[in-house]
């Protein structure tokens, strides 16, 4: 350590040692660096200070990055599709996710019980679909990360309550989503607005359809909305239409299951590959292995889109349940 350092330097160094946060430490180190006389004898010390400053700065930067990635709404997609359950407070969103998946979000008889999303997997036949319970849509506070999450889901289940102002709930929810440029797939974005719009498949859940009274409300609700919305009346408490809902979700995801068969062996009917509707043999090959799509020589198919074991071209469009044998 060079001996010709001014007293200010040692004061700054003392503050550095006592500093609690990286930001304070950086300030003290920078101060020390400006105080220190510039000559050969201090070269090493100045290099060391610069190294310490840059180390602290990059640690702070990395932490910032992690913070961003750790938003509760950064939910990795899992299974055959990601489905958000969204809607006004107390409409039974969490109850739905708890009944259909392995997750157990909190359920309570007061609004805004849910503050964070909870994701669970719902088995439908031989596939798993991801359902995500979300906080109530609330026009007083719109979390941009929440909206960003909804813009990326494969399907949005908009839940309204048949026992409490159903029409108003639907209107408010749709307005809030539209303000955030989230609209149903069948609706065109406003022609005069050049911002990015997000057209998402919607399915309206008319929840708490426990009895004849609520069923009558449902009929009126359907009439007043002029059959504009694809909707399904559900009761979690009475287990009404729950199975139907599961299959409706599958249908709305517009996916097919395709089973793989190795030449000379039986088909693997336990783990289907999930593809978008309209996918071809080439798309399936790519999903099985990314090299297969270029190596693919021919394919045979069993299922409703061909006769048993028929040879098909790579652009042959597949159906749900098809079994494909790839020859590479
Ligand atoms: N009658 C009836 N009540 C239900 C049904 N499903 C849920 N509930 C009740 O509705 C209340 C709210 O349920 P939650 O699942 O917490 O509703 P939520 O939409 O998640 O509520 P927030 O997270 O507060 O927005 C609870 O008291 C549930 O027991 C149903 O099918 N019928
Ligand atoms: Mg909830």
């Amino acid at each position: 350590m060079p001996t010709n350092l001014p007293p200010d330097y040692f004061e700054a160094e003392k503050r550095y040692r006592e500093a609690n946060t990286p930001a304070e430490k950086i300030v003290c180190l920078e101060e020390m660096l400006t105080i220190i006389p510039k000559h050969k004898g201090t070269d090493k010390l100045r290099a060391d200070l610069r190294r310490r400053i840059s180390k602290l700065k990059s640690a702070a930067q990395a932490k910032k990055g992690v913070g961003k990635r750790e938003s509760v709404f950064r939910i990795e997609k899992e299974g055959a599709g990601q489905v958000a359950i969204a809607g006004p407070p107390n409409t039974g969103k969490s109850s739905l996710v708890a009944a259909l998946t392995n997750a157990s979000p909190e359920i309570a008889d007061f609004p805004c019980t849910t503050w964070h999303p909870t994701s669970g997997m719902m088995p439908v036949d031989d596939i798993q679909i991801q359902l995500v319970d979300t906080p109530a849509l609330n026009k007083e506070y719109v979390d941009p990360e929440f909206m960003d999450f909804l813009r990326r889901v494969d399907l949005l289940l908009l839940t309204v309550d048949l026992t409490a102002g159903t029409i108003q709930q639907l209107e408010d929810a749709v307005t809030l989503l539209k303000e955030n440029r989230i609209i149903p797939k069948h609706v065109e974005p406003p022609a005069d607005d050049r911002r990015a719009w997000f057209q998402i498949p919607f399915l309206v859940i008319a929840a708490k359809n426990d009895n004849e009274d609520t069923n009558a409300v449902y009929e009126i609700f359907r009439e007043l909305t002029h059959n504009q919305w694809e909707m399904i009346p559900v009761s979690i408490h009475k287990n009404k239409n729950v199975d139907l809902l599961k299959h409706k979700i599958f249908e709305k995801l517009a996916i097919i299951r395709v089973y793989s068969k190795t030449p000379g062996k039986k088909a693997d009917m336990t783990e289907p590959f999930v593809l978008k509707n309209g996918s071809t043999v080439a798309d399936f090959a790519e999903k099985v292995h990314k090299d297969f799509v270029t190596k693919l020589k021919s394919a045979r198919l069993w299922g409703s889109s061909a006769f048993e074991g028929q040879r098909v071209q790579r652009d042959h469009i597949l159906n749900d349940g098809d079994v494909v044998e790839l020859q590479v």
Side-chain angles (χ1 to χ4, degrees):
M1 161 91 49
T3 47
N4 57 347
L5 291 172
D8 292 2
Y9 176 88
F10 294 103
E11 274 169 34
E13 192 185 38
K14 185 166 177 278
R15 282 201 301 281
Y16 164 73
R17 271 189 261 108
E18 287 166 0
N20 287 320
T21 66
E24 285 172 44
K25 282 191 199 292
I26 291 170
V27 170
C28 300
L29 287 170
E30 282 176 340
E31 210 178 316
M32 286 152 71
L33 196 60
T34 47
I35 294 166
I36 207 165
K38 289 186 187 63
H39 56 71
K40 253 216 142 356
T42 61
D43 270 0
K44 256 191 161 168
L45 182 57
R46 282 183 292 132
D48 177 54
L49 288 174
R50 275 192 225 101
R51 225 182 352 258
R52 277 195 268 171
I53 291 169
S54 92
K55 213 170 156 185
L56 281 168
K57 280 189 175 168
S58 58
Q61 200 63 36
K63 212 168 164 194
K64 244 194 211 161
V66 167
K68 205 158 181 214
R69 254 182 277 124
E70 273 176 359
S71 156
V72 288
F73 287 103
R74 297 262 159 145
I75 303 164
E76 210 166 303
K77 289 195 176 188
E78 277 182 73
Q82 188 176 61
V83 181
I85 326 296
N90 220 33
T91 49
K93 302 178 293 298
S94 302
S95 303
L96 199 79
V97 172
L100 296 179
T101 74
N102 54 347
S104 31
E106 196 182 342
I107 295 164
D109 192 18
F110 51 82
C112 303
T113 306
T114 304
W115 284 98
H116 294 301
T118 304
S119 144
M121 299 308 289
M122 170 179 78
V124 185
D125 299 339
D126 50 4
I127 57 166
Q128 301 267 342
I129 295 172
Q130 184 183 32
L131 300 192
V132 184
D133 180 29
T134 65
L137 294 175
N138 176 359
K139 69 173 189 293
E140 308 303 324
Y141 174 68
V142 179
D143 182 338
E145 293 275 357
F146 179 17
M147 291 303 125
D148 220 36
F149 164 70
L150 292 181
R151 290 178 188 132
R152 287 177 279 111
V153 297
D154 300 310
L155 172 65
L156 199 153
L157 299 189
L158 187 48
T159 310
V160 290
D161 184 341
L162 286 172
T163 68
T166 324
I167 296 250
Q168 193 63 48
Q169 286 192 349
L170 181 68
E171 278 174 10
D172 291 350
V174 170
T175 304
L176 188 145
L177 292 169
K178 192 172 174 196
E179 281 165 3
N180 288 281
R181 289 172 289 117
I182 300 165
I183 50 176
K185 193 142 189 135
H186 63 272
V187 171
E188 284 301 316
D192 55 350
D193 191 326
R194 305 188 58 153
R195 293 174 303 166
W197 285 75
F198 299 84
Q199 289 170 287
I200 308 287
F202 276 37
L203 176 64
V204 175
I205 311 279
K208 310 191 188 178
N209 188 26
D210 301 347
N211 52 44
E212 283 184 7
D213 291 349
T214 53
N215 210 32
V217 175
Y218 174 67
E219 289 307 326
I220 297 168
F221 174 58
R222 220 157 56 106
E223 255 174 54
L224 291 178
T225 50
H226 311 289
N227 286 328
Q228 248 183 353
W229 296 92
E230 206 169 338
M231 56 173 71
I232 175 165
V234 171
S235 168
I236 294 300
H237 284 193
K238 298 278 154 91
N239 194 23
K240 266 207 318 217
N241 281 352
V242 175
D243 247 19
L244 189 71
L245 172 62
K246 283 188 194 180
H247 287 94
K248 193 81 196 160
I249 291 173
F250 179 102
E251 189 190 310
K252 288 288 290 175
L253 284 173
I255 50 177
I256 54 167
R257 294 160 299 173
V258 180
Y259 302 83
S260 169
K261 182 182 175 314
T262 313
K265 289 193 184 156
K266 274 193 159 179
D268 175 7
M269 298 306 284
T270 55
E271 274 188 60
F273 289 83
V274 176
L275 297 159
K276 283 191 167 54
N277 271 356
S279 294
T280 62
V281 168
D283 296 326
F284 172 68
E286 183 159 27
K287 192 107 186 183
V288 174
H289 195 290
K290 67 175 175 357
D291 292 344
F292 279 17
V293 68
T294 45
K295 289 185 184 161
L296 185 65
K297 291 199 187 86
S298 65
R300 293 177 72 198
L301 191 143
W302 289 257
S304 58
S305 70
F307 61 78
E308 296 293 282
Q310 184 185 341
R311 279 200 190 283
V312 288
Q313 301 294 318
R314 54 194 299 133
D315 59 355
H316 180 92
I317 292 180
L318 297 165
N319 281 352
D320 184 43
D322 280 352
V323 174
V324 178
E325 181 182 278
L326 299 171
Q327 272 123 19
V328 289

